[in-house]
Amino acid sequence: MMGVIGQTILPWWSTKLNLYYFDFRFFSSNIDIYPFIKYLLGTILEVYKDFENRFSLVETGLSALEMVRKASMYKIGRFNKRDIRELCTSLSNSSIENVFRDLISLGEIKLEN
């Protein structure tokens, strides 16, 4: 019986002691947490800006042409129909293809193979 208790309780107890020791060491040392907080808040801000940009694509009242035009301006470099489909989830594939044809004829985007 002692072997079973030793195998289950002692590893748990040593883990708890290690956590208490780490907790004491962390709060008693002179660790500067401000760079981490600045990094974390910067990450949250970037995610918010990205969400705001994506949400502006699905505003009500925009035509399919305007939605795809905004999405193509949002993408940097080359993009394909799948990229625009991910940004404009309310549009069908045929709508996106029709808008691509219109934008190519207007000269706003260029078709590459």
Side-chain angles (χ1 to χ4, degrees), residues 67-84:
M67 285 177 72
V68 173
R69 183 179 285 146
K70 273 185 157 183
S72 66
M73 296 298 174
Y74 178 70
K75 294 298 284 184
I76 297 173
R78 295 180 179 178
F79 59 89
N80 55 21
K81 184 171 68 172
R82 183 176 31 145
D83 297 333
I84 301 299

Side-chain angles (χ1 to χ4, degrees), residues 53 56-58 62-77 79 83-85 87-88 91 95-109:
N53 287 338
S56 70
L57 293 175
V58 292
L62 288 178
S63 66
L65 179 67
E66 288 301 316
M67 285 177 72
V68 173
R69 183 179 285 146
K70 273 185 157 183
S72 66
M73 296 298 174
Y74 178 70
K75 294 298 284 184
I76 297 173
F79 59 89
D83 297 333
I84 301 299
R85 178 81 176 128
L87 293 172
C88 303
L91 295 178
S95 296
I96 294 173
E97 290 170 359
N98 290 336
V99 171
F100 274 166
R101 275 190 234 110
D102 293 344
L103 290 175
I104 290 170
S105 67
L106 293 173
E108 292 187 27
I109 61 173

Side-chain angles (χ1 to χ4, degrees), residues 28-74:
S28 65
S29 64
N30 294 330
I31 297 175
D32 188 15
I33 62 170
Y34 293 112
F36 174 73
I37 291 174
K38 186 177 179 182
Y39 166 76
L40 183 65
L41 291 176
T43 303
I44 292 170
L45 181 65
E46 287 299 317
V47 168
Y48 177 76
K49 286 179 181 178
D50 185 48
F51 173 74
E52 188 177 18
N53 287 338
R54 287 176 184 251
F55 189 73
S56 70
L57 293 175
V58 292
E59 289 178 9
T60 57
L62 288 178
S63 66
L65 179 67
E66 288 301 316
M67 285 177 72
V68 173
R69 183 179 285 146
K70 273 185 157 183
S72 66
M73 296 298 174
Y74 178 70

